[in-house]
Amino acid sequence: KLCGYLNKLGIKGPIKTWKSRWFIYDENKCHLLYYRTVQDINPLGSIELSSASFDCKMENGEGIFEIRTPSRVFTLKAISKQAMMYWLQQLQMRRWEFCNTKSRFPVGSSQLVNEPVAGRTSRCPIFDSEDFLPLVKTPTEAVGLKAASLPAPQTSTALQNISLKHPWTEIQNTVFNICGSKQLWGNNENVFSFDEFQEHPVNLDEEQEAEVETGCAVKEGTLEDGRMEPRLNWIRKPRWRNCGFPDSHEELSRERNPMDKVSVLQQQILTLTEEIKSQKELVKLLHKALEAAQQEKRVSSMYLTAAEDKDRLELVRHKVRQIADLTSRLEALEQEKKELEQILSLRDNHIQELKEHVQLLMEKNHAKQEVIMALTEQMARELSDPLQEDNTITAETLYKQQEEIEHLKDDIDAYKTQNQFLNSEIHQVTRLWTSVAENEKALLMKCACLQARNCQMESKYLTVLRKLQEALPGLPSSYAELVKNLIQEALQWDVKEETEGSFNLNPVSEYDEYGFMTVPDYEIEDWKLLAKIQALEIKSNKLRSQEIVEKPLRDRWNTIGELNSSAELKSLIRSGIPVEHRQRVWRWIVSRHCSHLPDHYQRLLQQSKSTEHPACRQIELDLPRTLTNNKHFSSPTSQLIPKLRRILLAFSWHNPAIGYCQGLNRLAAVALLVLEDEESAFWCLVHIVENLMPPDYYSNTLITSQVDQRVFKDFLSEKLPRLMAHFEQYQIDVSLITFNWFLVAFVDSLVSDILLRVWDAFLYEGTKVIFRYALAIFKYNEEEILRIHDSVEIYQYLRFFTRMIMDGRKLMNIAFNDLNPFPMKLLRNRRSMHREELEAELCELEQIKAAYVKERAEQGP
């Protein structure tokens, strides 16, 4: 049992006093309870150790240490240095045991949270092998059960050790001690009678219990009933018979000599005298309480025995007059108190001025004494023998140095001990912090999963509202009004969450890292609910993939130093490049295929300044229409607009065969957003047009682009036959939708997060990635399209359905896993076949056109 006497520093304004307290450790709550004496039943207070830290500073003095809690610092003093180190070491050990044996999770926590904690607890021993501080031997004279039978440390005055902050606790403990020891006092008449407490020592009525609980500090640190019994078993037994003194001749005979017996008896007399003084003070307080209770009892008896209502009314009026009189007296006393406080404040200021004046006089006096001492020493040196003076000075100096060396050695030993303890404390606190951090991480993961699930449920609810919104014309008026109210309430959810300040692990910002709008701002009122659904799906996907997918992927990218082509790098790029690595990887990919000619870009810029290109006007028309959902291009005054203009003009001079084609502006804009450097974005555009895309992809005829549309239809028939048959049934030409996908690599079609993942793989592998993702988009929404049986509705759905795709991981798995095999050789063969067919069709068309022109010319006007 960890218990014993310690001195506790009490601070009451400017007054600081040491008070002796009996401390005992509560294992269930990890609290350190303190009492005035061993016999007390209710503690004066408690110190929470689970979140406390310990410190011992050499400059505070021997045996003094501190317990720092988040709300207060407790300064305690042991009887010796050994006792102090024992207390500190034991408190460390008990705190560690409590923090590792008590679970921090509520009942019902998921296996994801509980298993790692249980594993860590079982693997983590109570003590480490590091021997920061050797185990301190138990000082039995100051700690433990034996210390309870020894005399308590005494104070200079009788009432100094009484706690003024907890008077009701003091009275309760004293009354309990008196009731428990009345058998030793005999039947002598006392000033105060305790019969009521003897008859009912435990069963207080509810009003008494309420008064005790509100008036004392038991609520701060009192043990539960079950916890109190073990302590009372070994504390109540000694009671007044033991009280820390020998109670029989046998114990006195064990003393060494009569002088020891006399000293022990004198100590007993002093202790009992001090105790009697304190008991008299408490008896006076109880007398006053008794008189007030008897007075109240007499008044109540008079009220009850009154024969008529008139008499009772007179008693009530008398009572009201007394209350009014007491109220006026209270106000007068409060006014007097304020005046006295003002007088006290003035006197304190005057005392402070006097202290400063006295301090100044003392400093002057000290200076004068130093001058006198200096003159005295000078006269002594002049009158004494020079040789003797030197010997005296040398001896004194040597003595002072030796004395100083001894002090320094003591200081070094003290600092070594302090350093050992602080190292042990830092080590244990670090381990506790690590354990708490791991628990917090597990809880955050669980919270993220719950929030993701909540977002999914909200998304499903909003989807149902969306379906009802579409069916509003066919609903009764009452139902239609109800649906409209539900939709308006759902659209206001974000506003309510912001005003309530709810906890949000991964909020969805309005723009992403590259300036793209994360959730589209639909102008049509009916589509605002659709934007809300998209926002919830984005948040749900981010919460689910943050710790499970994104963090491990980011860790793998962090381990990659120099980039080299490999299967592992290909797999990582397909999974998506983290934002912090994307720019570096894109520069490396472009540099592998494009040799940067020195000053080539600058020469192109000079040429564009000196000579106006034919495509300049078309470029100026397309600049305001570039990436309108990106904040860096939405304004005509954006800093990236001039850079984009220079890149497109430079490319038009770099590749005169193409010059400029609509769509190049969006390719260059995405490259500029990621690479940031103007020249790097130019070379990225060159790499896409000249290396990745087939020849004539951006020519005037766009012949290769048309070829790819025919190839894509073949793949769509092979990979998704049901969907292609559905399109043919309703005469849907998918090339009207997909042509722009291939021309600008899905820019303005997919959300930015998925778009950049597509571009990561596209820049590394080529146009085959565009075919994979185009097929994956249709497979992703295949069931939804098959449920639509109207050609107009199918076209309307295909216009925006790519913006509804929020799960980039699912789309990636479809593109690179579900659509396999997808050989590049097959793609080349299909392109060659369809190019021949298309060229033959174009040739035939030219012949028909020429024949028609010739026929018109022969017919004449």
Side-chain angles (χ1 to χ4, degrees), residues 514-764:
Y514 298 105
F516 287 100
M517 189 180 294
T518 54
V519 179
D521 185 15
Y522 296 121
E523 297 180 358
I524 302 175
E525 186 69 23
D526 293 344
W527 285 15
K528 288 185 178 180
L529 194 60
L530 182 63
K532 181 73 176 178
I533 296 173
Q534 288 179 295
L536 288 172
E537 290 185 358
I538 291 172
K539 184 176 180 180
S540 174
N541 291 329
K542 283 190 175 181
L543 287 169
R544 283 185 298 164
S545 63
Q546 187 66 33
E547 292 294 331
I548 301 173
V549 179
E550 298 296 336
K551 191 175 184 302
L553 181 63
R554 188 174 287 107
D555 293 339
R556 289 179 63 188
W557 273 104
N558 291 334
T559 59
I560 295 178
E562 185 178 355
L563 295 171
N564 294 304
S565 298
S566 63
E568 180 186 6
L569 181 63
K570 182 179 179 180
S571 174
L572 285 176
I573 290 176
R574 284 182 172 184
S575 299
I577 306 173
V579 176
E580 58 269 23
H581 296 283
R582 179 167 283 131
Q583 187 179 112
R584 177 173 69 100
V585 177
W586 281 26
R587 289 179 187 273
W588 173 76
I589 293 173
V590 173
S591 64
R592 288 175 61 232
H593 299 89
C594 292
S595 56
H596 291 212
L597 302 176
D599 300 329
H600 178 66
Y601 181 68
Q602 300 300 328
R603 288 196 298 271
L604 293 174
L605 291 181
Q606 291 297 330
Q607 186 176 0
S608 64
K609 289 180 181 179
S610 59
T611 306
E612 183 176 350
H613 195 277
C616 182
R617 184 178 179 182
Q618 185 62 44
I619 291 173
E620 291 298 329
L621 291 175
D622 287 347
L623 285 176
R625 298 187 293 225
T626 303
L627 300 185
T628 55
N629 64 336
N630 190 288
K631 64 180 180 180
H632 298 300
F633 293 98
S634 59
S635 172
T637 59
S638 172
Q639 296 181 356
L640 295 187
I641 295 291
K643 293 183 179 181
L644 181 60
R645 179 187 293 110
R646 290 193 292 269
I647 292 171
L648 296 176
L649 288 173
F651 182 82
S652 63
W653 287 108
H654 170 78
N655 193 333
I658 296 175
Y660 174 74
C661 175
Q662 285 185 337
L664 296 182
N665 57 327
R666 285 179 277 185
L667 297 176
V670 173
L672 185 60
L673 286 173
V674 175
L675 298 174
E676 296 179 356
D677 179 60
E678 189 177 323
E679 186 174 356
S680 299
F682 165 77
W683 288 111
C684 183
L685 180 62
V686 172
H687 172 58
I688 293 172
V689 175
E690 298 182 359
N691 298 329
L692 297 180
M693 295 298 191
D696 299 329
Y697 215 86
Y698 298 97
S699 63
N700 294 332
T701 59
L702 299 176
I703 184 171
T704 312
S705 301
Q706 299 180 54
V707 168
D708 276 356
Q709 293 307 305
R710 298 190 177 190
V711 174
F712 177 70
K713 288 181 180 179
D714 289 349
F715 286 138
L716 193 63
S717 299
E718 295 173 5
K719 302 291 184 180
L720 302 171
R722 292 172 57 226
L723 185 63
M724 191 62 187
H726 189 69
F727 286 152
E728 291 175 353
Q729 180 183 355
Y730 293 97
Q731 300 178 354
I732 303 298
D733 186 4
V734 293
S735 62
L736 298 176
I737 305 298
T738 60
F739 185 84
N740 195 53
W741 296 359
F742 284 77
L743 195 66
V744 295
F746 297 104
V747 178
D748 286 338
S749 296
L750 295 172
V751 294
S752 58
D753 181 50
I754 301 176
L755 171 67
L756 292 171
R757 291 184 185 181
V758 174
W759 271 59
D760 293 337
F762 166 62
L763 292 177
Y764 187 74

Side-chain angles (χ1 to χ4, degrees), residues 198-216:
Q198 285 180 338
E199 292 176 2
H200 307 285
V202 179
N203 298 324
L204 298 174
D205 56 61
E206 293 180 358
E207 294 181 0
Q208 289 174 327
E209 289 179 352
E211 292 176 0
V212 171
E213 289 177 357
T214 55
C216 69

Side-chain angles (χ1 to χ4, degrees), residues 351-528:
I351 290 171
Q352 185 64 28
E353 293 176 357
L354 291 177
K355 285 182 178 180
E356 293 177 355
H357 184 62
V358 170
Q359 182 67 24
L360 182 61
L361 292 177
M362 290 178 65
E363 291 177 355
K364 290 182 179 179
N365 187 28
H366 182 65
K368 291 179 180 179
Q369 288 181 356
E370 287 182 350
V371 172
I372 293 171
M373 291 296 297
L375 293 174
T376 303
E377 291 177 359
Q378 184 178 356
M379 290 180 61
R381 285 196 299 270
E382 292 176 355
L383 296 175
S384 62
D385 183 31
L387 182 61
Q388 183 180 359
E389 179 184 356
D390 294 340
N391 293 335
T392 304
I393 293 174
T394 304
E396 290 179 356
T397 304
L398 181 61
Y399 175 75
K400 290 181 180 179
Q401 289 179 350
Q402 290 178 348
E403 189 177 16
E404 185 177 356
I405 289 172
E406 293 298 326
H407 286 307
L408 290 175
K409 288 181 178 179
D410 294 339
D411 291 346
I412 289 172
D413 292 338
Y415 279 120
K416 284 182 178 179
T417 304
Q418 180 184 1
N419 187 45
Q420 287 178 340
F421 169 73
L422 291 178
N423 286 338
S424 175
E425 177 71 4
I426 291 170
H427 179 65
Q428 283 206 8
V429 170
T430 303
R431 289 169 57 194
L432 290 173
W433 177 84
T434 304
S435 176
V436 170
E438 292 177 355
N439 294 342
E440 182 182 6
K441 180 180 176 183
L443 285 173
L444 286 176
M445 289 181 62
K446 182 182 178 184
C447 186
C449 294
L450 293 175
Q451 280 198 3
R453 192 178 303 168
N454 182 53
C455 290
Q456 290 176 348
M457 296 302 295
E458 290 181 8
S459 177
K460 291 178 181 178
Y461 170 70
L462 293 179
T463 303
V464 173
L465 289 181
R466 171 73 176 167
K467 296 294 184 183
L468 291 174
Q469 186 183 38
E470 294 174 354
L472 274 179
L475 293 176
S477 59
S478 58
Y479 291 167
E481 187 66 25
L482 178 61
V483 171
K484 289 181 180 179
N485 293 336
L486 291 175
I487 292 173
Q488 290 297 325
E489 182 181 352
L491 292 175
Q492 296 296 323
W493 280 351
D494 284 342
V495 179
K496 292 180 180 179
E497 290 177 359
E498 290 176 3
T499 55
E500 293 173 0
S502 58
F503 177 65
N504 203 344
L505 285 175
N506 196 354
V508 178
S509 58
E510 186 178 1
Y511 296 96
D512 65 2
E513 298 86 353
Y514 298 105
F516 287 100
M517 189 180 294
T518 54
V519 179
D521 185 15
Y522 296 121
E523 297 180 358
I524 302 175
E525 186 69 23
D526 293 344
W527 285 15
K528 288 185 178 180

Side-chain angles (χ1 to χ4, degrees), residues 321-338:
R321 287 193 295 272
Q322 286 183 341
I323 292 172
D325 183 45
L326 290 174
T327 304
S328 60
R329 289 172 60 188
L330 178 60
E331 293 176 353
L333 289 174
E334 288 180 350
Q335 183 64 29
E336 184 180 358
K337 177 186 174 184
K338 292 180 180 178

